[in-house]
Amino acid sequence: MTTATPDPDTLTDSGLAPEGDGRLLIIACGALAREILDLRDRNGWDHMDLACLPAILHNTPDRIPDAVRSAFTRHHIRYDHIYLAYADCGTGGALDRLCEELGIEMIRGPHCYAFFDGIDRFAARDEMTAFYLTDFLVRQFDAFVWRPLGLDRHPELRDMYFGNYEKLVYLSQNEDPDLVARARTQADRLGLAFEHRPTGYGDLATTLDTWAG
């Protein structure tokens, strides 16, 4: 099964409904769709379907658990196994409690930055003054950062939001010189030093491999 990845705007605002009827469903954040579909196709996991929630939910994390519950309720009757490809993502443990209630597994960690970098490595770095971007967030920087913070209208607010940060760290999942250049430009826009840290798919790959059986 090979599926064309929807454009980033669709994954940001609309998500992605499952297109097949496999025995295993991954409910995921739209920000992870490219990576999950690539891993599925690369490994021949034809029994795996993907349902993505809108990535923009990250800007209102209190709404993520209800969206996950709704997706589970809508799809669970068709699947033998359902897994959740989210980290905590600012829900304050609510996703973990929901998974216990529903009897499903999720990816452990505070957010996708951590599991791309590797949970243990990320925790050991303890980078309190770093602002992180992934491939998806580089593509969707204006939709997730610049416009929601009002910096398109009031660039003078930049120091208020980012004055305590020292660097922008781009955790890249794929080798793409254009994305590196865009991330560097975004660091300049925020007045931050730039660091590029190639991570690949990190713990996302190992977790999906376990779930795929």
Side-chain angles (χ1 to χ4, degrees), residues 76-184:
H76 81 278
I77 196 170
R78 295 170 52 200
Y79 293 93
D80 296 329
H81 302 282
I82 293 181
Y83 299 93
L84 182 63
Y86 270 90
D88 181 75
C89 299
T91 67
L95 278 182
D96 188 55
R97 293 189 293 274
L98 178 63
C99 285
E100 289 186 10
E101 175 189 338
L102 299 178
I104 62 177
E105 293 182 36
M106 64 180 284
I107 301 177
R108 301 297 172 182
H111 39 61
C112 61
Y113 316 135
F115 64 65
F116 278 137
D117 199 20
I119 296 294
D120 293 337
R121 284 192 300 274
F122 187 87
R125 296 182 197 280
D126 194 25
E127 295 174 315
M128 300 299 293
T129 59
F131 181 74
Y132 296 96
L133 295 179
T134 62
D135 286 4
F136 182 87
L137 291 173
V138 170
R139 294 187 181 97
Q140 293 295 86
F141 181 81
D142 284 352
F144 271 80
V145 180
W146 203 252
R147 291 197 298 270
L149 293 179
L151 295 173
D152 55 330
R153 303 179 305 279
H154 301 286
E156 70 276 7
L157 296 176
R158 181 187 65 181
D159 291 344
M160 183 181 77
Y161 288 123
F162 294 94
N164 292 325
Y165 291 101
E166 296 178 356
K167 62 181 178 180
L168 183 151
V169 179
Y170 170 34
L171 305 172
S172 64
Q173 284 67 72
N174 295 281
E175 295 184 14
D176 188 329
D178 177 64
L179 289 182
V180 175
R182 289 167 65 177
R184 190 182 300 275

